[in-house]
Amino acid sequence: MAEEGRMDNNNCSQSIRCSMGIAAYNEASNIGRLLEALVSQRTVAATLVEIIVVASGCTDDTESIVRSWTERDPRIRLLVQTRREGKASAINRFLSEAQEKVLLVSSADLVPAKDTIERLVAPFADPEVAMTGCRPVPVNDPGCFMGFAAHLLWNLHHQTNLIDFKAGEMIAFRKIFERIPNHTAVDEASIEAVIRGQGYEVRYVETAITYNKGPDTVKDFLRQRRRIHAGHLALRAAVGYRVATLSTTKMLGLALRNLDWRPRAFVWTWTVAGLEGYGRFLGKRDYKRRRNHSIWEIATTSNLLEVPSPTTSGT
């Protein structure tokens, strides 16, 4: 499959060359699936030149799995941080090593559809575009409460993007800066702030599908939501940038406009809203207490990804 991907890339001499960076901490359960999906990407407008995995303080088989992939595809490189330093630090290591001017960044717990790289990179043919974002689609079962919560939040993320850009999960951007703050807990938002602050265009590519998995427990849900909200508050304080989802009132209004009135969905929606509100309260408290979320607690129920087949965007 890797050879097939290289043949497709080489057929297009005018394609946009790009580098992929993956931040990994104990992702042995998914890193192989992610690398398989990347080397098998269908590309014409894009050429994926290199895939750099930054393994940060891993204590499982992540590094050995990546090393086996480096022998299968020469585009894959492994960089090891002996201790866990956080995702922002891993991204900065990638930025210092990447060869190309168009970069993609992903966590190791995602799986892109077959054409996601192509769709994310193609808009960079316009020199005014400097960042693109994908549409994350959770694989959680929407028939259970936590699965419903994951689908609800990512659908609100999608609806927000149709109005105003909000980066999330896998992103692509031009290398117009050297690093982001190591202490940030919201790396995509930090990159978004830099790109938009320099006057470049950003684009949401709703057909660039990336599969993820949301938390399966309330505890993990709250842990994730408080970290993100605390990070967004810190970003606003540091550089004056507000992400599109920061306003609770705005997000509540969007939820009301998309409210499912069926009894179970109606009750679950308001329960999720209550949990989100509590998570934001905890995040605000963390921010005021200057709690550092740059090395966050892992949501242990959100890293076992079962991707639906076929993994294509279908749109």
Side-chain angles (χ1 to χ4, degrees), residues 109 138-140 211-216 301-306:
D109 59 350
V139 299
N140 304 68
Y211 296 101
N212 66 358
K213 186 173 186 294
D216 281 335
T301 61
S302 65
N303 61 357
L304 299 175
L305 197 58
E306 294 295 336

Side-chain angles (χ1 to χ4, degrees), residues 16-290:
I16 302 168
R17 294 168 60 89
C18 57
S19 300
M20 163 67 77
I22 301 168
Y25 169 69
N26 285 0
E27 290 291 351
S29 63
N30 191 68
I31 188 65
R33 275 175 283 192
L34 171 56
L35 292 173
E36 176 72 33
L38 290 175
V39 301
S40 304
Q41 288 286 298
R42 292 196 295 257
T43 56
V44 176
T47 298
L48 186 54
V49 174
E50 59 182 347
I51 302 168
I52 299 174
V53 180
V54 182
S56 183
C58 294
T59 57
D60 64 356
D61 292 330
T62 298
E63 292 178 19
S64 60
I65 293 171
V66 176
R67 285 193 180 94
S68 70
W69 273 94
T70 64
E71 299 172 0
R72 299 167 63 178
D73 193 303
R75 293 175 294 174
I76 300 174
R77 283 199 286 152
L78 172 65
L79 302 177
V80 176
Q81 293 178 320
T82 56
R83 62 184 179 86
R84 190 178 177 211
E85 300 179 25
K87 186 180 177 184
S89 174
I91 290 175
N92 285 333
R93 180 74 187 276
F94 164 64
L95 288 171
S96 70
E97 295 279 345
Q99 300 175 14
E100 303 304 324
K101 296 300 183 184
V102 173
L103 308 180
L104 299 107
V105 166
S106 172
S107 296
D109 59 350
L110 308 175
V111 175
K114 291 286 188 179
D115 55 0
T116 296
I117 301 300
E118 174 79 359
R119 293 178 182 271
L120 281 177
V121 172
F124 289 89
D126 182 343
E128 293 301 311
V129 174
M131 186 175 189
T132 58
C134 70
R135 180 177 182 180
V137 175
V139 299
N140 304 68
D141 177 10
C144 65
F145 174 70
M146 293 310 303
F148 177 88
H151 283 269
L152 175 62
L153 288 185
W154 283 113
N155 183 58
L156 287 175
H157 183 272
H158 167 62
Q159 296 298 329
T160 299
N161 264 295
L162 296 177
I163 302 169
D164 187 12
F165 184 84
K166 169 62 173 68
E169 303 296 76
M170 188 176 291
I171 58 173
F173 56 93
R174 294 189 191 275
K175 189 179 180 182
I176 58 174
F177 56 92
E178 295 301 319
R179 59 185 290 108
I180 60 175
N182 271 348
H183 61 267
T184 183
V186 284
D187 48 280
E188 295 102 343
S190 296
I191 294 170
E192 178 185 324
V194 174
I195 298 293
R196 299 188 86 169
Q198 296 194 32
Y200 283 99
E201 292 183 18
V202 293
R203 289 187 187 173
Y204 173 53
V205 186
E206 62 177 301
T207 55
I209 302 298
T210 300
Y211 296 101
N212 66 358
K213 186 173 186 294
D216 281 335
T217 68
V218 170
K219 180 180 179 180
D220 280 349
F221 179 91
L222 290 174
R223 180 183 294 137
Q224 184 183 80
R225 302 312 298 168
R226 73 188 294 177
R227 167 181 59 80
I228 291 172
H229 190 61
H232 287 159
L233 292 175
L235 179 66
R236 182 183 65 180
V239 300
Y241 185 76
R242 295 173 57 95
V243 296
T245 55
L246 185 60
S247 169
T248 300
T249 303
K250 180 179 177 180
M251 296 309 297
L252 183 59
L254 192 60
L256 287 172
R257 289 196 294 273
N258 292 274
L259 188 61
D260 186 338
W261 289 88
R262 291 176 296 179
R264 186 176 71 171
F266 181 83
V267 172
W268 280 2
T269 296
W270 288 110
T271 305
V272 174
L275 289 173
E276 173 69 11
Y278 183 53
R280 290 190 175 214
F281 164 76
L282 294 174
K284 186 175 182 179
R285 188 177 67 179
D286 288 346
Y287 163 69
K288 288 182 176 179
R289 294 178 176 179
R290 300 184 182 276

